[in-house]
Amino acid sequence: MTAHIEQAPLVRRVFWRLAPTRLFADLISKSWMESVIPFVLFVGIFTYLYIANPAFGTIGNLQSISASFSEFAFPAIAVGLTLISGGIDLSVGAIFALVDFAVLFMIGVWGLPTWLAILLAIALGGVIGAINGFLIGFMKTRPVLTTLVALIIYRSIFNLITLNYSEELAVIYIEDPTWNFIATGRILGAPVSAATLVIFAVVAHVILRNTKLGWRVAAVGSSKKAARHAGINYPLVLFLTYCGAGMVTALGAIFYAARLGSVAGPTGQGLEIQALSAVVVGGISLAGGRGTVARAVLGAAIVFLIQNGLTNIGLPGYFTAGILGFVVILAVGADIRWEKNKGKAIEKTLVNPIVFSFASTPDTSPGSQSPLALNDRLKDAEGLAVGLIEGPEDVVVDRLGRIYTGERQGRIIRFSPPYFNEREVFARIGGRPLGLVFDKDENLIVCVAGMGLFQVDQQGKVEKLTDRTTRNWLSILDNSRLRMADDLDIAPDGKIYFSDATDRFDLHDWTYDSLEGRGNGRLCVYDPATKKTRTISHGLNFANGICLAHDGRSVFVAETWAARVRRYWLEGPKKGKLEVFLDNLAGVPDNINRASDGTYWMAFAGMRSPMYDISMRHPGVRLRMLKQLPRDEWLFPSMNHGCLVKFDESGRILESYWDKKAEKHPMLTSMREHKGYLYLGGLENNRIGRIQLPDADQNWTAHDSYWGKS
């Protein structure tokens, strides 16, 4: 099928292909992008300070300030943890001061071993934090008021004990190798406190992002009500969070005590405000449920640089405080605006259409000599299981003549001959079962949209085979998850070849992929021997129907929105090559399956129209359609006039079957030949169709074609 293709100007095609909105949409959907602005701010401040005072960036100075920075970063992390849990801790400054006093007193006055004093100091921080956690979690007091009162009480206790023990504290001198190493030691050139901060931050980040406890902290911060309904004991989660925050604050106080070796009345004063400023600047949301340890550390670095750097270049304290306040206001405002408009920004840039030029539609007019000429060969299609099934996208027949199909509710339904009027739930999978095929052992292999590839044995036991494939590292987004496993077929060596229609959109918004016209689909293979899945070809335009050639040397892949079929070679001189096999089809192809005479059946899920072809050449039209019209009014291939075609190994279409009046089987997404009959499936139908094929092999079955006579 050759026809003239009306090509759009090269500049316009390149412009839409390289549209920056797609890059923007991919970037802002990444969680780490929320740290980009704070990171840029940090680099900008550091660069300014270095230009203003080149000595600021020397190794010696960085080693010196990294020690005091670590002491500040630990309380900032503590405040960040409480914010993520939906609370706040304004008492970290007082906890910091109490632990500073306690560790020096235990070592210098009581003479306890350093290791024991450090453990007791950390425990003290945990106990004080636990008091806050008990009141906020179990007594359900308000975090701001509770920790504010706690700040006043703990600060009063600190002032009282430092006053009573001022003489003992004045003569403290600790001569202990372990304590001195904590104060002045180096690990790989970095102060002990800085090295400890790095190790702790990495561990805490992993715990917060990859463990049940971390997920529950974020869940409680997002919504206590939803967390409770999910079975999370949120009072306990809050209790543990505040307890942990107290222990983290204690770590900072211990390093502070080791470095300075003294206790003073101002210790920890204002630290809670500085720490709160740091985590807000770092991007941790005041609303809770959103944030990471990395952002807390980054925010602490920004605030630390502002305070210490500006002071070092001679700016007065009030000026430094004013700049810090201004930065915090900007950060809070940006956080609120971003949280409010992020969803809108992603929505407006999610779909990025390109110019896709079709050739002239093949002639399908009635009475023409074309094998695609409109006819009424499906008008007498028999309806099986009418009203007993909803949306049988694919159908498959076993050796005993039983029909299997998936339905919207995530079940595999079986109908038995001769009448096919009794519905039997064969298996419950979930998701949306799409492509179906039997393997050599008569296990049913199923593509489930949003879930991956599954196996159902003859007793109906469900087993997941795979839900991921190899990631395309040229993609910003992690596309290793199978979003829409669609159709499949099995090679003689047992390898399962299947299509993932789109790696960008999910089942509920798969129609967006048609508006883009880009190649978001891929061909994957799962090897049961190694239980590994890999992508063997990507960039397919809604990869759909999969069929292994009769000789087993190649695989046919339907590209729905491109109205073409490609052939991927598994063996021979073209091994690993993907080539266009059928192009410029009259409809958008769906499933492909073998026929008994050595040819192939293919379903057209919908038929092209002139207006649809025009819209594909004009991305701007599709964008306006997306933004201004409801989904049911979009220009789309005509889905209520399906068609079946048969083609041979040379890529020649031999004949077609139409339901001219769209009454018996208006939509066609699949077909299976079995013992002289052709069974029909349709994504929007309430029945399974069947037509008799008088000229077909009346004994032919797909199982025998693939695996030989049983």
Side-chain angles (χ1 to χ4, degrees):
M1 278 178 283
T2 59
H4 172 68
I5 300 178
E6 180 185 339
Q7 291 285 4
L10 178 62
V11 173
R12 192 161 72 90
R13 282 184 282 139
V14 172
F15 171 79
W16 286 102
R17 172 66 68 175
L18 301 179
T21 50
R22 173 157 182 164
L23 176 64
F24 175 77
D26 289 348
L27 286 174
I28 63 176
S29 64
K30 300 291 289 184
S31 59
W32 51 261
M33 272 300 293
E34 297 183 6
S35 301
V36 168
I37 295 178
F39 179 76
V40 172
L41 181 61
F42 166 76
V43 172
I45 294 173
F46 186 90
T47 303
Y48 170 76
L49 294 175
Y50 178 74
I51 294 174
N53 180 14
F56 179 80
T58 62
I59 299 298
N61 184 63
L62 293 179
Q63 287 180 329
S64 176
I65 65 175
S66 64
S68 53
F69 164 70
S70 303
E71 299 157 10
F72 170 60
F74 281 109
I77 293 174
V79 173
L81 291 175
T82 59
L83 279 181
I84 294 171
S85 72
I88 194 172
D89 192 350
L90 298 176
S91 65
V92 291
I95 296 175
F96 188 92
L98 284 172
V99 174
D100 173 42
F101 167 83
V103 69
L104 288 173
F105 193 83
M106 285 187 286
I107 298 175
V109 178
W110 286 356
L112 294 181
T114 299
W115 66 269
L116 179 59
I118 290 175
L119 291 178
L120 291 175
I122 294 175
L124 175 62
V127 170
I128 298 174
I131 296 173
N132 294 341
F134 175 79
L135 295 173
I136 295 170
F138 292 101
M139 302 304 293
K140 296 180 174 54
T141 58
R142 295 183 180 277
V144 174
L145 182 60
T146 301
T147 55
L148 181 60
V149 173
L151 165 66
I152 297 172
I153 295 174
Y154 301 154
R155 176 59 65 178
S156 299
I157 294 173
F158 172 76
N159 291 334
L160 180 62
I161 58 178
T162 52
L163 179 63
N164 290 338
Y165 292 97
S166 57
E167 294 182 2
E168 291 87 342
L169 295 173
V171 296
I172 285 179
Y173 180 76
I174 301 174
E175 186 60 42
D176 179 80
T178 302
W179 189 249
N180 291 336
F181 177 73
I182 294 174
T184 60
R186 294 284 189 272
I187 298 177
L188 299 177
V192 174
S193 58
T196 305
L197 173 65
V198 172
I199 296 172
F200 174 82
V202 171
V203 173
H205 182 83
V206 171
I207 292 174
L208 193 61
R209 296 296 299 272
N210 299 285
T211 66
K212 288 183 178 180
L213 177 60
W215 299 334
R216 288 173 179 175
V217 169
V220 170
S222 298
S223 171
K224 292 184 178 66
K225 183 178 180 180
R228 184 178 70 250
H229 289 166
I232 297 176
N233 186 351
Y234 80 86
L236 178 61
V237 171
L238 290 174
F239 174 81
L240 294 175
T241 301
Y242 279 89
C243 181
M247 298 172 72
V248 175
T249 302
L251 283 174
I254 291 169
F255 288 115
Y256 178 85
R259 183 172 63 88
L260 296 182
S262 63
V263 180
T267 300
Q269 282 188 358
L271 181 60
E272 56 280 338
I273 302 302
Q274 297 169 12
L276 179 61
S277 303
V279 296
V280 172
V281 169
I284 295 180
S285 174
L286 290 170
R290 182 166 60 88
T292 65
V293 173
R295 294 180 200 171
V297 174
L298 184 59
I302 293 173
V303 170
F304 182 82
L305 285 180
I306 292 175
Q307 289 185 313
N308 291 272
L310 296 181
T311 300
N312 289 339
I313 63 176
L315 294 178
Y318 63 84
F319 189 78
T320 301
I323 292 178
L324 178 60
F326 179 72
V327 170
V328 171
I329 291 175
L330 285 180
V332 173
D335 177 72
I336 294 174
R337 296 294 297 177
W338 175 250
E339 188 66 17
K340 182 178 180 181
N341 297 295
K342 178 182 177 181
K344 295 180 180 178
I346 293 177
E347 181 182 352
K348 290 182 178 179
T349 57
L350 181 64
V351 178
N352 296 273
I354 63 169
V355 177
F356 195 98
S357 299
F358 284 111
S360 301
T361 308
D363 185 13
T364 61
S365 58
S368 67
Q369 298 302 312
S370 168
L372 291 169
L374 187 64
N375 57 63
D376 220 1
R377 300 177 72 180
L378 294 179
K379 68 181 180 63
D380 296 324
E382 181 182 2
L384 305 179
V386 178
L388 298 179
I389 190 69
E390 183 181 356
E393 194 274 343
D394 194 12
V395 294
V396 64
V397 187
D398 67 10
R399 288 189 303 107
L400 301 178
R402 295 175 296 188
I403 301 174
Y404 298 75
T405 186
E407 65 175 1
R408 299 184 191 281
Q409 291 76 18
R411 295 183 286 259
I412 303 296
I413 306 300
R414 179 166 67 186
F415 298 96
S416 300
Y419 303 111
F420 303 103
N421 57 2
E422 291 188 9
R423 169 191 171 96
E424 176 188 356
V425 177
F426 176 65
R428 291 178 171 84
I429 294 182
R432 180 59 165 103
L434 296 174
L436 310 167
V437 71
F438 283 107
D439 67 9
K440 185 176 182 180
D441 299 320
E442 299 188 66
N443 297 308
L444 186 62
I445 312 300
V446 187
C447 283
V448 183
M451 296 176 62
L453 199 64
F454 284 75
Q455 173 182 288
V456 185
D457 66 17
Q458 297 178 45
Q459 286 71 44
K461 181 182 177 182
V462 178
E463 177 187 354
K464 182 178 74 175
L465 298 181
T466 181
D467 60 1
R468 290 188 175 274
T469 184
T470 48
R471 177 178 179 177
N472 179 8
W473 291 102
L474 297 178
S475 171
I476 294 174
L477 299 180
D478 181 359
N479 59 359
S480 60
R481 182 172 69 87
L482 297 173
R483 285 182 176 269
M484 198 169 173
D486 201 324
D487 196 29
L488 72 163
D489 211 347
I490 305 177
D493 59 3
K495 291 181 180 178
I496 302 172
Y497 294 87
F498 65 97
S499 58
D500 190 31
T502 171
D503 64 4
R504 186 171 176 81
F505 301 101
D506 292 312
L507 180 63
H508 65 277
D509 55 12
W510 64 272
T511 50
Y512 289 157
D513 200 86
S514 71
L515 296 183
E516 277 207 342
R518 292 175 180 265
N520 298 320
R522 51 194 169 178
L523 174 63
C524 307
V525 59
Y526 170 78
D527 188 348
T530 61
K531 299 187 183 302
K532 300 293 185 181
T533 306
R534 60 188 178 92
T535 300
I536 57 178
S537 183
H538 54 79
L540 301 176
N541 203 321
F542 205 81
N544 203 330
I546 300 291
C547 183
L548 190 76
H550 283 279
D551 60 7
R553 294 166 57 86
S554 61
V555 172
F556 297 110
V557 187
E559 286 188 279
T560 300
W561 307 133
R564 68 186 171 207
V565 175
R566 296 214 197 192
R567 188 175 203 166
Y568 182 86
W569 289 93
L570 305 177
E571 300 177 9
K574 295 182 179 180
K575 182 179 179 179
K577 182 179 180 181
L578 183 72
E579 62 184 15
V580 176
F581 178 72
L582 282 170
D583 200 8
N584 192 41
L585 296 170
V588 289
D590 207 299
N591 288 0
I592 306 172
N593 287 299
R594 291 180 181 179
S596 60
D597 59 0
T599 60
Y600 304 90
W601 295 103
M602 179 169 62
F604 284 160
M607 306 307 297
R608 287 166 50 192
S609 67
M611 285 304 299
Y612 175 72
D613 288 5
I614 291 173
S615 72
M616 292 303 292
R617 291 199 300 269
H618 297 279
V621 171
R622 307 205 299 278
L623 269 183
R624 288 191 292 273
M625 180 172 62
L626 169 68
K627 295 177 181 180
Q628 299 176 16
L629 296 178
R631 187 173 303 198
D632 58 356
E633 295 182 13
W634 291 352
L635 281 172
F636 212 62
S638 177
M639 293 298 193
N640 63 341
H641 286 85
C643 173
L644 292 178
V645 298
K646 180 185 279 190
F647 63 87
D648 61 16
E649 285 281 354
S650 66
R652 184 166 54 99
I653 292 182
L654 306 175
E655 58 179 327
S656 61
Y657 290 72
W658 295 75
D659 183 1
K660 185 176 181 180
K661 296 183 178 179
E663 293 177 349
K664 293 293 185 178
H665 219 78
M667 184 181 187
L668 289 163
T669 53
S670 67
M671 80 310 301
R672 298 279 178 166
E673 184 176 338
H674 181 82
K675 292 187 176 181
Y677 285 94
L678 197 61
Y679 294 85
L680 314 175
L683 186 63
E684 300 296 334
N685 297 334
N686 69 340
R687 68 191 66 193
I688 296 169
R690 183 172 71 170
I691 59 173
Q692 191 168 13
L693 303 171
D695 299 328
D697 184 346
Q698 303 299 305
N699 296 312
W700 187 90
T701 70
H703 192 277
D704 293 344
S705 174
Y706 281 86
W707 313 113
K709 296 288 184 179
S710 301

